[in-house]
Amino acid sequence: MRLVLSLVAALLATAAAEDCPDNFILIGFGCYSFPSFETTWDDANEYCKFMAPPGTIGGLAHIEDCTQHANLWKHIEAQPDGKVNYWIGGKDEEEEGTFRWVSTGFEIPSEVPFWYPHQPDGWTSENALSLSKTGYFADESESLLQKFICQLL
Ligand SMILES: [Ca+2]
Ligand SMILES: [Ca+2]
């Protein structure tokens, strides 16, 4: 029985690893990539589109439920120097104070459970969404140079 279980576990692990293309890793149910350089929000989003393999669509990551938020942060915390600010795919430039995922247009709920206390606080000078080194969301100026998280959408 134990042998069967470990065979099943090995098969599942292989299947999971094959679910994401090169340069992407499976975290929870999504394929993510963590490029090593820092750039502006717009350039980060363009890079995520550019690095997606043919036949797939890439963009900055969107985090739409608590489980995925926790999965991603657990992965980040486990990396050496992982706890920094990362651009993710939300903006509030169309309607100040209402952040939306640019990939889907869905509104990002405010306050608990995603946002750091008292964020967003930058009004019209901060219109881009960051998964900050606190593990929670914050608004930042989109021209800041930060690391970023890409996702296959
Ligand atoms: Ca804003
Ligand atoms: Ca802020």
Side-chain angles (χ1 to χ4, degrees):
M1 186 63 185
R2 180 168 297 188
L3 178 64
V4 171
L5 282 178
S6 48
L7 272 175
V8 169
L11 281 172
L12 284 175
T14 308
E18 285 171 359
D19 279 342
C20 292
D22 286 354
N23 301 320
F24 286 85
I25 49 171
L26 186 71
I27 302 174
F29 296 105
C31 294
Y32 296 89
S33 186
F34 296 80
S36 58
F37 61 97
E38 300 179 340
T39 190
T40 63
W41 190 97
D42 285 313
D43 283 353
N45 200 39
E46 284 306 306
Y47 184 84
C48 291
K49 291 178 189 170
F50 165 79
M51 76 172 295
T56 67
I57 297 173
L60 284 170
H62 55 110
I63 302 169
E64 300 194 77
D65 67 71
C66 297
T67 306
Q68 196 61 351
H69 185 199
N71 287 337
L72 261 180
W73 190 247
K74 201 191 288 180
H75 173 83
I76 289 168
E77 272 191 319
Q79 309 305 310
D81 306 318
K83 286 164 84 172
V84 297
N85 296 337
Y86 295 89
W87 289 130
I88 53 175
K91 278 199 157 180
D92 80 330
E93 62 187 358
E94 284 184 9
E95 185 187 346
E96 173 53 40
T98 301
F99 275 84
R100 292 180 183 280
W101 298 114
V102 291
S103 55
T104 61
F106 289 145
E107 188 173 337
I108 301 168
S110 49
E111 302 183 359
V112 179
F114 297 115
W115 291 82
Y116 195 71
H118 311 302
Q119 298 288 325
D121 65 350
W123 301 97
T124 53
S125 64
E126 297 186 349
N127 293 335
L129 186 63
S130 187
L131 175 58
S132 79
K133 59 190 172 194
T134 61
Y136 294 92
F137 293 4
D139 58 338
E140 298 285 2
S141 165
E142 62 200 64
S143 57
L144 273 183
L145 305 182
Q146 299 194 146
K147 287 195 171 181
F148 55 102
I149 306 171
C150 297
Q151 181 177 2
L152 295 184
L153 304 173

